[in-house]
Amino acid sequence: MKYLNIKKALAAWQALQPLSEKDRGRLSRRFTVDFNYNSNHIEGNTLTYGQTEILLLFGKVIGEADVRDVQEMAASNVGLKMMTEEASVKDMPLTQNFIRTLHKTLLRENYTVYRNLPGGQQTSYMIHAGQYKTRPNSVITRYGDRFEYASPEETPGLMADLVDWYNAAEQEGKLSPLELAALFHYRYIRIHPFEDGNGRIARLMVNFILTRHDYPMIVVRSRKKSEYLEALHQADMEVGPVPSDGAHADIKDIRPFMKYFNELVATEVYNDVLFVSEKDENVWWYDGERIAFRTPNYTRILNAMRTEPTLTLADMKELTGISVTAIQKLLDQLIQKRYVERGEKDGSWRVFVTQ
């Protein structure tokens, strides 16, 4: 992985085409959970990876879960499906209406946010689903300075510029799909057109552009959030603090983010290649990470759980030939890593690693 580059990753991906229906289904299920979990987790959603998988693939809620987080995750998946369907119509230009509709889908409805001011007073404001912001927004960077996004007055014009630029640049073909996706993301974030949900929309739009050009979709992993934010910050340092400059940045202006983005896509695509092509029964995957178990006993236990979720330790010993003591030690490791979980009510095993 250290010497991997985007050209080699994409070549390896193309060499696998066309994928079988089975492999397309495996990748789709994996991406559905990974993308929704990570994109929402970056923004503070508290559902675990396992809860996300059960919710999105089986429509069930397990364990304790915040109702709003559950609704947010379900809406995110609807937005992902909407984006994928829209991207498949390749001769249709991008519109502001689609972006606003996507935002409306993610947020579902208007809601009020309450904040405590430094003096102890409470203030509130309305978040508008599917509408551009009506109040200024900014962020305090990890360096302690305030970074302003486009004003509410600037936003409609800048969004019109962004969409017009994208449609023209796509037709012109001078920028690669990766450059288009990275530059769209950066310009969009500098506008920050909505009061909430901008990061989630930006990551959906990156995949809109990639899949529109027959590239695999990618996941920004929440465990690597700091790298993602630092790449954006470094690009901001080159572009400067004026929002309209950021909203009209050129590809050469965002070199730090472009470097990050190329490495991200190379890693994600190469992992897709491994996921599809590697035939090793002791290799499993969890949230984009390849797990090569050192002993086949892990695989024996995991396969036993998948075959019969209600197994007891004695049952596992009977099926696998592993001692109960050894099984318990291996289970402790699997549970600690959150690769498996046992249901509190029915006692059945849930396996969250996949092959």
Side-chain angles (χ1 to χ4, degrees):
M1 292 293 290
K2 183 178 179 181
Y3 303 103
L4 177 70
N5 62 48
I6 187 62
K7 187 175 181 179
K8 290 180 180 178
L10 289 171
W13 171 255
Q14 288 301 324
L16 291 177
Q17 308 307 309
L19 296 177
S20 68
E21 185 174 342
K22 178 182 177 181
D23 283 337
R24 284 198 305 272
R26 290 171 62 225
L27 277 170
S28 177
R29 288 190 297 274
R30 174 174 171 262
F31 178 79
T32 294
V33 178
D34 284 13
F35 177 81
N36 286 300
Y37 168 74
N38 282 282
S39 194
N40 287 286
H41 204 246
I42 284 173
E43 309 300 336
N45 191 289
T46 61
L47 295 191
T48 66
Y49 187 84
Q51 285 176 314
T52 301
E53 179 176 301
I54 297 296
L55 174 67
L56 299 184
L57 300 186
F58 304 102
K60 298 179 181 179
V61 179
I62 59 171
E64 294 184 5
D66 182 85
V67 173
R68 185 172 183 82
D69 285 349
V70 171
Q71 293 172 339
E72 180 181 82
M73 194 67 76
S76 175
N77 198 38
V78 174
L80 176 60
K81 291 176 181 177
M82 178 187 297
M83 176 277 290
T84 306
E85 290 173 5
E86 185 80 4
S88 68
V89 187
K90 297 183 181 181
D91 58 349
M92 183 182 297
L94 177 63
T95 65
Q96 290 186 72
N97 184 60
F98 169 66
I99 296 173
R100 288 194 298 264
T101 301
L102 197 56
H103 186 261
K104 172 77 172 176
T105 300
L106 290 189
L107 267 65
R108 305 178 309 282
E109 60 187 6
N110 296 346
Y111 59 91
T112 303
V113 172
Y114 298 92
R115 291 282 186 266
N116 291 320
L117 298 175
Q121 307 96 326
Q122 189 178 72
T123 185
S124 64
Y125 55 89
M126 180 72 72
I127 300 293
H128 300 88
Q131 298 179 36
Y132 292 147
K133 60 190 172 188
T134 59
R135 59 195 302 275
N137 52 6
S138 61
V139 65
I140 301 296
T141 71
R142 63 194 183 100
Y143 302 98
D145 53 325
R146 182 176 294 277
F147 198 79
E148 299 286 345
Y149 300 120
S151 70
E153 293 76 22
E154 292 176 294
T155 292
L158 292 177
M159 285 300 292
D161 289 350
L162 177 64
V163 168
D164 290 347
W165 161 78
Y166 172 77
N167 288 324
E170 185 177 53
Q171 288 295 315
E172 191 176 33
K174 289 185 178 179
L175 296 177
S176 70
L178 293 183
E179 291 171 327
L180 274 175
L183 190 50
F184 186 98
H185 181 291
Y186 181 78
R187 288 182 169 194
Y188 175 91
I189 286 296
R190 288 298 301 266
I191 301 170
H192 242 63
F194 302 105
E195 288 145 338
D196 189 19
N198 290 291
R200 286 172 284 163
I201 293 290
R203 292 183 287 275
L204 278 170
M205 291 307 300
V206 159
N207 282 313
F208 170 86
I209 295 167
L210 292 179
T211 194
R212 191 172 165 97
H213 292 272
D214 299 317
Y215 280 57
M217 292 192 285
I218 56 101
V219 177
V220 178
R221 305 285 168 179
S222 63
R223 63 179 175 271
K224 297 183 177 179
K225 177 181 177 179
S226 61
E227 295 176 22
Y228 172 53
L229 297 181
E230 182 62 21
L232 287 168
H233 173 74
Q234 290 299 324
D236 291 340
M237 296 291 286
E238 296 214 4
V239 173
V242 179
S244 61
D245 289 347
H248 295 103
D250 199 88
I251 194 67
K252 67 179 184 300
D253 301 323
I254 65 161
R255 284 171 293 189
F257 187 67
M258 193 70 240
K259 179 178 182 293
Y260 159 83
F261 191 72
N262 277 330
E263 292 172 354
L264 168 67
V265 175
T267 299
E268 288 289 309
V269 171
Y270 188 60
N271 280 341
D272 284 346
V273 170
L274 288 178
F275 181 73
V276 170
S277 62
E278 195 171 22
K279 308 300 181 186
D280 185 334
E281 65 177 11
N282 294 315
V283 171
W284 296 70
W285 291 82
Y286 178 84
D287 188 17
E289 288 191 316
R290 178 182 176 274
I291 306 154
F293 289 121
R294 290 171 293 182
T295 168
N297 287 345
Y298 282 108
T299 292
R300 294 191 185 111
I301 291 172
L302 290 168
N303 283 332
M305 287 176 174
R306 291 200 300 184
T307 302
E308 180 50 68
T310 58
L311 288 175
T312 64
L313 294 185
D315 294 332
M316 288 186 196
K317 176 186 176 183
E318 187 73 23
L319 279 172
T320 63
I322 308 168
S323 71
V324 169
T325 302
I327 289 173
Q328 187 62 67
K329 287 182 179 179
L330 296 175
L331 279 178
D332 288 343
Q333 291 293 318
L334 292 171
I335 292 169
Q336 182 183 357
K337 295 282 189 179
R338 293 191 167 183
Y339 297 162
V340 303
E341 180 180 286
R342 193 161 198 178
E344 293 180 2
K345 293 183 179 179
D346 58 5
S348 61
W349 291 101
R350 303 185 183 102
V351 178
F352 302 123
V353 284
T354 188
Q355 289 182 305

